[in-house]
Amino acid sequence: MKVTPVSFLIPVAALTLAVFPASYAFSGEILRLGISSFAEHNINKALIDPTVEAIRNAIRPSKLEVEYLELGRLQNFLKNGQLDLVISSAGNYRRFLLEGYGLRDLATMVSSQAPNPNYAEGSVFFVRSDRKNMDSIAALKNKSVSANYPFAFSGWQIAAGELMDRDFDPDHFFSNVDFLGHGAAPVIDAVLSGKTDAGIVRACVLENAGLLKSSKVKVLDPKEESEFPCAVSTRLYPNWTLSTTPNTPPEISRKVTAAVLEIKPLNHNLHWSVATDFTPIDDLFKRLEIGPYEYLRHFSFKRFMESYWQYFVFAAIFIIGLILHGIRSEYLVNKRTHALTESLRRERKLRAESALVKCRLDKIQKVGLVGQMCSMIAHELKQPLGAAAAYCFALRRRLENGEVSAEVIEKGIERVDNQIQRASEVVNQVRSYAKGQRQRQAIDVGKIAEKILRDIQASSPDTEVEFQKEGERFIVEANPIELEIILINLVKNAIEVVKDKQNGRVIVNLSAEGNSVCIKVEDNGEKLNDADWKQISQLAMATTKHSGLGFGLTIVAGLAEDLGGRITFERLPTGGLSVYVRLPLAKEEM
């Protein structure tokens, strides 16, 4: 027998209907939409009729049945599997989801009053404007308040969460709470008539009813919300949400979602969007111990054990540990006694080894100090040897020119001898450092400075070096060579900076500052940029000199610190640098 395509499809369709549940063979059946009752003055209500029409067109040829339900009936319909789609507050959606009804959000309302679907619904605490003694939420303690229902999301639960955020117990904060049923009108009337001291309604209800504009009521503790145009006393939560139940085939849910998202915005830019974060609602329910977390309010031994079993396990482990510890302690005492005896023996050995190590470290430190002084001698011998060479050169020229007398030769030889003596003193200073002999004594810094400046001025006649003293005696405990090294380095560095300037000038100033002698060397060189100033401030290897190794400031800083002093710098706004070396006065001078 020849099988036609039509005759073949008939048994296949029958088999499909027999195998798959009726809920998935959806074409031609009825889609049931449950809508939670809306309060008056709610702009979201205007989107319901266009939404119903869009869903009806999207599911054709299936039919759409719409039920407007109070919260209790809505819950019963869901429990009995009598709904396919639900439009409710986001709070009720999350409550039904957490209670196991299997809802899944499809879309969430947005408008000009709530442009962000995640932060769109809140509550306000309000009183009559003439209640001067009530200017904050805290002032409502032990006062009466009216609200919708205990299970109303924005009519009570959000406000209760705000009280908890302020460390108040919402169950015992008010002297009396009147739950007046559905809608905001009974709550507003109760406040205006004086039946209750305060009221709680959804945010934007007072604006939409014109009560704030007429100054009949005032909102308590309004929050600053940049994206929310209405007064609100609480946090903001997601807006009204369209959700689907497990009864609805995925393809129908897809069509419904696409249909509602394509609805053109109405007045106040009211339309459907998608919320991405409902976790604040879950946290609110848990903190209030309501809805799916109602069980937290009631004691249960089973729940107590489930919540605190780890502590019981810990206590048992602790007791067993104490027993084992007692057994172990006796063993450890004996072991420890033997260990202490052995430790004493090792300690004696370590002391002997430590003495050897200390001796070796002292030698290493001495070698390091000698190395530092070797660097210093290489830097400092250049000046006296250079001066001696200059004097020899001058004598030789005078001999060649026939301008020599016994007095000139004698004076030149004396100057050369002085410089050689200075070089010898530098070498002796290094040797004394290597032997640990500082040979410090009470020295007048002023006299050392005058001697050094005479020698430097003779070798650098083109640069004006001015010496100033603010006092007569500046006595410090030091070695003459140490002071000479400090002064020579500072003054020569300054001269190097200004030697190419037409009006180059260096000022050396001595003054007393408390228990210290202050040596200031100032030049009028070029203005320092930030990079050079940072280098100098950190005592980097480079200085402001135009040539040379630039090791001088490092040596000066080390010697000043060794003498109990310190070196600081000041960048002059007109150009140049002031270097300060402060050394402690000798004890008899303090």
Side-chain angles (χ1 to χ4, degrees):
M1 181 179 66
K2 185 178 180 181
V3 179
T4 64
V6 175
S7 62
F8 174 75
L9 290 174
I10 292 174
V12 172
L15 180 62
T16 302
L17 292 174
V19 173
F20 290 95
S23 61
Y24 291 99
F26 195 82
S27 179
E29 293 196 358
I30 297 173
L31 186 73
R32 295 154 297 183
L33 170 63
I35 302 176
S36 180
S37 300
F38 272 77
E40 65 272 19
H41 307 300
N42 191 330
I43 65 169
N44 294 341
K45 191 174 182 180
L47 189 56
I48 295 301
D49 289 341
T51 300
V52 171
E53 186 63 25
I55 294 174
R56 183 172 282 118
N57 292 332
I59 65 172
R60 287 177 179 172
S62 300
K63 296 181 180 180
L64 179 67
E65 286 187 357
V66 180
E67 292 280 353
Y68 288 87
L69 304 167
E70 297 288 342
L71 185 60
R73 293 187 64 209
L74 180 63
Q75 185 173 9
N76 288 333
F77 272 52
L78 286 171
K79 186 181 296 184
N80 297 327
Q82 295 175 267
L83 294 176
D84 302 293
L85 299 171
V86 178
I87 297 178
S88 68
S89 68
N92 290 332
Y93 155 64
R94 292 303 288 184
R95 174 185 171 185
F96 296 145
L97 172 65
L98 295 172
E99 289 180 347
Y101 297 129
L103 271 66
R104 174 70 172 86
D105 63 291
L106 301 179
T108 300
M109 292 183 181
V110 292
S111 65
S112 57
Q113 287 188 345
N116 188 332
N118 291 326
Y119 306 99
E121 192 159 12
S123 301
V124 292
F125 294 82
F126 71 99
V127 297
R128 278 200 334 235
S129 297
D130 59 356
R131 301 299 297 268
K132 304 299 183 184
N133 61 329
M134 298 181 193
D135 55 0
S136 67
I137 294 175
L140 298 181
K141 186 172 178 59
N142 297 323
K143 299 295 190 297
S144 61
V145 69
S146 54
N148 296 143
Y149 296 103
F151 49 78
F153 185 56
S154 58
W156 171 254
Q157 292 173 347
I158 295 179
E162 180 66 23
L163 292 176
M164 291 199 73
D165 290 342
R166 296 170 181 262
D167 296 325
F168 298 128
D169 180 2
D171 294 333
H172 303 93
F173 181 73
F174 299 107
S175 62
N176 181 57
V177 180
D178 287 341
F179 291 108
L180 304 179
H182 183 70
V187 176
I188 296 172
D189 291 341
V191 173
L192 293 178
S193 65
K195 182 180 178 181
T196 58
D197 297 307
I200 297 171
V201 295
R202 181 183 184 275
C204 295
V205 165
L206 300 179
E207 286 87 349
N208 294 338
L211 293 174
L212 291 183
K213 188 174 182 180
S214 62
S215 300
K216 291 183 178 181
V217 297
K218 61 181 179 181
V219 174
L220 302 182
D221 294 342
K223 294 183 180 292
E224 293 291 336
E225 296 289 347
S226 59
E227 295 186 16
F228 196 75
C230 300
V232 61
S233 304
T234 67
R235 298 181 184 180
L236 294 175
Y237 296 84
N239 209 342
W240 279 64
T241 298
L242 169 65
S243 55
T244 182
T245 70
N247 300 331
T248 311
E251 180 61 19
I252 295 299
S253 296
R254 184 192 68 79
K255 290 181 178 180
V256 169
T257 303
V260 299
L261 291 177
E262 290 178 357
I263 297 175
K264 293 182 178 180
L266 307 179
N267 290 337
H268 304 289
N269 196 31
L270 181 61
H271 62 283
W272 289 102
S273 182
V274 177
T276 57
D277 186 12
F278 291 92
T279 54
I281 300 175
D282 302 347
D283 178 65
L284 174 65
F285 288 160
K286 190 169 186 178
R287 287 187 294 117
L288 293 176
E289 298 179 350
I290 59 176
Y293 300 101
E294 177 74 24
Y295 69 92
L296 295 175
R297 290 175 174 256
H298 310 292
F299 177 80
S300 165
F301 182 76
K302 179 181 178 181
R303 183 169 60 82
F304 179 78
M305 291 300 296
E306 290 176 349
S307 301
Y308 301 103
W309 65 267
Q310 62 269 32
Y311 297 105
F312 288 102
V313 171
F314 175 77
I317 294 173
F318 180 73
I319 294 172
I320 295 172
L322 285 177
I323 296 172
L324 295 175
H325 177 71
I327 297 172
R328 184 170 175 267
S329 295
E330 186 175 356
Y331 167 76
L332 290 178
V333 167
N334 296 328
K335 184 179 179 180
R336 185 62 176 167
T337 301
H338 175 74
L340 287 173
T341 304
E342 183 65 20
S343 177
L344 289 173
R345 186 188 64 80
R346 287 198 302 269
E347 184 178 354
R348 295 189 190 99
K349 182 180 178 181
L350 288 174
R351 284 178 180 174
E353 293 177 352
S354 177
L356 293 175
V357 171
K358 185 176 183 301
C359 181
R360 188 160 56 250
L361 288 176
D362 288 341
K363 291 180 179 179
I364 292 173
Q365 288 177 344
K366 183 178 289 186
V367 171
L369 183 58
V370 171
Q372 182 181 6
M373 294 306 298
C374 287
S375 298
M376 184 170 69
I377 191 173
H379 184 271
E380 298 304 326
L381 284 179
K382 181 179 178 181
Q383 197 273 340
L385 293 178
Y391 291 139
C392 291
F393 178 79
L395 285 173
R396 187 179 295 111
R397 292 297 299 271
R398 288 195 174 192
L399 284 171
E400 293 174 354
N401 296 332
E403 300 175 358
V404 179
S405 65
E407 182 182 354
V408 170
I409 294 175
E410 179 67 27
K411 190 173 183 179
I413 292 174
E414 180 183 354
R415 288 180 177 178
V416 172
D417 184 62
N418 287 340
Q419 296 302 320
I420 294 174
Q421 184 63 32
R422 272 202 79 244
S424 177
E425 289 175 354
V426 171
V427 174
N428 290 335
Q429 180 69 26
V430 175
R431 295 180 62 193
S432 68
Y433 266 73
K435 295 178 181 180
Q437 302 170 354
R438 298 302 175 89
Q439 300 178 354
R440 289 177 179 168
Q441 59 193 37
I443 299 175
D444 189 340
V445 180
K447 292 181 179 180
I448 296 293
E450 289 173 352
K451 173 187 173 185
I452 294 301
L453 293 179
R454 281 197 302 269
D455 292 341
I456 292 178
Q457 187 68 63
S459 62
S460 303
D462 297 332
T463 302
E464 177 187 352
V465 180
E466 180 182 346
F467 180 54
Q468 302 173 351
K469 288 174 60 176
E470 300 178 14
E472 294 299 327
R473 286 168 57 86
F474 303 94
I475 308 300
V476 298
E477 289 283 346
N479 187 291
I481 298 300
E482 293 173 328
L483 287 178
E484 289 182 17
I485 290 173
I486 291 174
L487 288 165
I488 288 172
N489 274 285
L490 295 181
V491 176
K492 291 195 70 177
N493 278 359
I495 290 174
E496 285 288 331
V497 171
V498 302
K499 69 179 183 179
D500 295 331
K501 292 193 65 171
Q502 185 175 0
N503 59 342
R505 187 184 77 258
V506 175
I507 299 175
V508 179
N509 179 275
L510 291 183
S511 63
E513 294 183 359
N515 294 330
S516 299
V517 174
C518 178
I519 305 170
K520 181 176 80 168
V521 178
E522 179 179 308
D523 64 72
N524 64 341
E526 299 297 329
K527 191 171 183 180
L528 294 175
N529 58 41
D530 291 340
D532 289 340
W533 172 244
K534 184 176 180 181
Q535 270 191 324
I536 293 174
S537 300
Q538 295 177 351
L539 276 182
M541 292 299 293
T543 69
T544 55
K545 296 198 306 182
H546 300 304
S547 61
L549 294 176
F551 196 63
L553 288 181
T554 303
I555 293 175
V556 171
L559 289 174
E561 184 176 351
D562 193 54
L563 291 171
R566 60 192 177 92
I567 183 171
T568 57
F569 306 92
E570 179 184 356
R571 179 166 51 171
L572 302 178
T574 57
L577 181 72
S578 290
V579 185
Y580 298 85
V581 175
R582 292 173 174 86
L583 302 175
L585 285 168
K587 293 182 180 179
E588 60 269 17
E589 298 294 322
M590 294 184 179

